Amino acid sequence: MSRLCLLLNATFLAACASPDPLAGLDGQRLFFDNCAECHQVNGRGIPNVYPALDGNETVTGSGADVALVLIIGRGEMPSFRGALNSAEMAAIINYVRNAWNNTGAPISAAEVEAL
């Protein structure tokens, strides 16, 4: 029984020592606050002005490609480097890649940071 207690205690301490940087972040709220003005709440953008994110090939492709757009910017879209940290960017990316009709694998804050 003492081995089980030690194992559970070690597991608990490890979980507490390395918290998930995305925990507590609301990707949808961050999207609404930073992106929806141009890309719209429904992800459909503004035709001929700002691209739709719903069904967008870049969004549904690689999470790293979406992260690079946030970090570097593209066309009229500014860089969010300095305005959002890696965890906030990852939360937005994960929301957008799985909102509306999109599906995509999650990206971690560490992966965004590495870019």
Side-chain angles (χ1 to χ4, degrees):
M1 183 67 151
S2 64
R3 283 186 181 180
L4 178 59
C5 289
L6 287 173
L7 179 60
L8 289 173
N9 192 28
T11 303
F12 174 77
L13 290 174
C16 291
S18 57
D20 178 3
L22 298 180
L25 289 178
D26 182 348
Q28 182 180 37
R29 174 58 43 211
L30 287 164
F31 173 82
F32 288 173
D33 292 347
N34 294 281
C35 314
E37 183 176 341
C38 298
H39 296 289
Q40 305 299 292
V41 172
N42 62 10
R44 293 188 183 141
I46 299 173
N48 301 315
V49 181
Y50 300 112
L53 301 179
D54 184 14
N56 183 297
E57 286 182 3
T58 300
V59 172
T60 59
S62 165
D65 289 342
V66 182
L68 288 171
V69 172
L70 284 175
I71 294 166
I72 299 168
R74 180 190 285 174
E76 295 292 318
M77 184 166 155
S79 166
F80 281 87
R81 184 184 319 186
L84 297 171
N85 65 40
S86 297
E88 292 168 326
M89 287 188 204
I92 291 171
I93 294 164
N94 291 332
Y95 168 71
V96 169
R97 286 175 47 80
N98 291 283
W100 315 297
N101 295 303
N102 297 337
T103 57
I107 190 168
S108 69
E111 290 172 294
V112 174
E113 184 67 31
L115 294 169

